[in-house]
Amino acid sequence: MSQHFLLSKAARSLSIARVARLSDEEAHDAFRLIRWTATEGEPVCPRCQCGATYKYETRKLWKCKACSHQFSVTSGTIFASRKMPIRDILLAIAIFVNGAKGHSALQLSRDLDVQYKTAFVLAHKIREALADEKAEETVSGEVEIDGAYFGGYVKPANWKENRRDRRLAENQTGKRRVVVIMRERNGITLPFVFKSEAQSVATIGQRVHPEATIHADQAAGWDVLHERFLTKRINHEECYSDGDACTNQAESFFSRLRRAEIGTHHHISGRYLGAYASEMAWREDNRRVSNGEQYLMATNAALQHGVSRQWKGYWQRSVN
Ligand SMILES: [Zn+2]
């Protein structure tokens, strides 16, 4: 439905420099075209889906002829009740997609000259929209499954006598989580966050096609997968590969997420781990897509995504 604009030549030629030079009018038009692709930019009422509107030229608002609802180009989208100019939102998306290791909220706030809180919420709204696009997806064919632990780091003591056994339960912070991914070879990557690998098995059952071939390492948590799927295992310690059994693509995802944690965000807490994992899955899946197309895909995802329950008014709520 929205494909023809995304695939057009005009769409592919967009870049950060070009976005930064957009006039207010041009930015508004770009937003309008991406949001209402099916009607070639003609506004559609977000409340009743009616295409007949009155236009308030000066305020960039429309009024629905059917239900009298007044709306702007961002009403009913994840950018509803924005205070930022539209060009800055487009710029934020362009900057966001260009950061292969992710982009910190601090850096984004400097790039856009906005408050840290504003940049933090904006980036999370983009992540939410990207994650939501895969909310119903499943994977099939050759599927690599792997898990890696993040967060809840227990700092090792410097002096030998003070060394703690970080494996002991009392030394765990309780915040450590495992990201488990299901990655279809040459297809999409679905990341999920659990307390342990064993807890992920039910979700694997829902998201992986029953006739898929699973590739996993020797972690004991994956033994139960043999009951449900044709499952091939690889033993990393012995550098042994059973024919074509390997989890290279899964590991490529984790190295990207690890680089984002170490190089960009420095610390990823359990609360946002799922959001960052979804972002990195999106980057991994679209790594061969041009920046211009990624920018349009992300903008399109954000504009097709409704108002965010989690992030709308986030800071107003969190001060309570
Ligand atoms: Zn209406």
Side-chain angles (χ1 to χ4, degrees):
M1 117 208 130
S2 53
Q3 284 302 306
H4 70 273
F5 179 70
L6 294 181
L7 294 173
S8 72
K9 205 175 166 202
R12 284 199 301 274
S13 67
L14 284 161
S15 71
I16 287 188
R18 191 169 155 208
V19 173
R21 287 195 296 266
L22 291 177
S23 68
D24 290 345
E25 198 67 38
E26 288 168 334
H28 193 267
D29 282 348
F31 230 64
R32 195 167 50 77
L33 278 164
I34 297 170
R35 175 165 188 189
W36 292 302
T37 308
T39 54
E40 296 182 355
E42 287 305 313
V44 175
C45 173
R47 185 175 285 170
C48 75
Q49 314 304 321
C50 171
T53 56
Y54 302 105
K55 189 178 184 188
Y56 299 95
E57 199 67 54
T58 48
R59 291 160 59 210
K60 294 202 166 50
L61 284 177
W62 293 275
K63 183 176 175 181
C64 174
K65 285 186 179 176
C67 76
S68 300
H69 179 55
Q70 283 190 13
F71 60 96
S72 74
V73 74
T74 52
S75 297
T77 74
I78 205 161
F79 300 123
S81 61
R82 76 199 144 87
K83 293 171 187 75
M84 225 184 233
I86 285 179
R87 183 186 42 249
D88 288 0
I89 293 178
L90 292 175
L91 203 48
I93 296 171
I95 292 167
F96 181 93
V97 299
N98 264 3
K101 286 194 300 180
H103 205 81
S104 73
L106 184 63
Q107 186 65 47
L108 189 61
S109 76
R110 288 176 184 153
D111 293 340
L112 297 173
D113 192 22
V114 298
Q115 280 190 31
Y116 172 80
K117 291 175 170 186
T118 307
F120 178 85
V121 168
L122 187 58
H124 270 298
K125 283 180 173 176
I126 298 169
R127 288 184 192 105
E128 179 182 307
L130 296 178
D132 193 53
E133 291 215 306
K134 290 198 287 196
E136 309 283 319
E137 297 275 7
T138 55
V139 289
S140 57
E142 304 286 317
V143 176
E144 295 181 14
I145 287 183
D146 202 0
Y149 283 84
F150 289 82
Y153 179 66
V154 179
K155 198 176 178 189
N158 279 332
W159 298 98
K160 200 174 181 186
E161 55 271 34
N162 293 336
R163 282 210 182 131
R164 293 170 290 188
D165 183 345
R166 289 185 282 160
R167 291 165 301 182
L168 291 177
E170 62 259 38
N171 289 336
Q172 296 289 344
T173 61
K175 290 179 181 169
R176 202 152 173 74
R177 294 287 179 273
V178 63
V179 175
V180 170
I181 66 150
M182 300 155 215
R183 182 163 190 176
E184 183 179 315
R185 285 207 188 137
N186 306 313
I188 58 167
T189 307
L190 302 177
F192 298 89
V193 176
F194 301 96
K195 284 190 174 174
S196 70
E197 286 177 342
Q199 287 184 354
S200 71
V201 173
T203 307
I204 292 171
Q206 290 158 5
R207 296 304 196 100
V208 179
H209 191 278
E211 286 172 23
T213 301
I214 285 185
H215 299 259
D217 65 18
Q218 299 283 45
W222 306 136
D223 289 350
V224 294
L225 295 176
H226 289 272
E227 296 167 15
R228 294 199 191 196
F229 300 96
L230 173 58
T231 305
K232 297 182 179 180
R233 310 292 285 272
I234 174 172
N235 186 337
H236 292 304
E237 280 170 18
E238 291 173 19
C239 297
Y240 161 78
S241 176
D242 176 18
D244 62 348
C246 83
T247 52
N248 289 346
Q249 294 191 10
E251 282 158 37
S252 159
F253 163 82
F254 282 117
S255 76
R256 189 184 287 267
L257 184 57
R258 205 61 85 182
R259 288 199 305 276
E261 181 190 38
I262 295 164
T264 305
H265 303 291
H266 309 301
H267 168 78
I268 296 181
S269 72
R271 194 173 176 192
Y272 304 118
L273 181 56
Y276 292 114
S278 295
E279 174 192 341
M280 290 305 144
W282 187 84
R283 292 188 192 283
E284 193 65 18
D285 292 350
N286 295 294
R287 65 197 183 284
R288 294 202 179 86
V289 173
S290 73
N291 290 357
E293 282 170 88
Q294 286 186 6
Y295 159 84
L296 281 157
M297 289 163 67
T299 309
N300 185 58
L303 293 182
Q304 305 308 326
H305 185 82
V307 176
S308 171
R309 289 224 180 109
Q310 186 182 4
W311 296 107
K312 183 173 183 277
Y314 176 77
W315 293 106
Q316 286 91 322
R317 283 198 309 275
S318 63
V319 291
N320 293 327

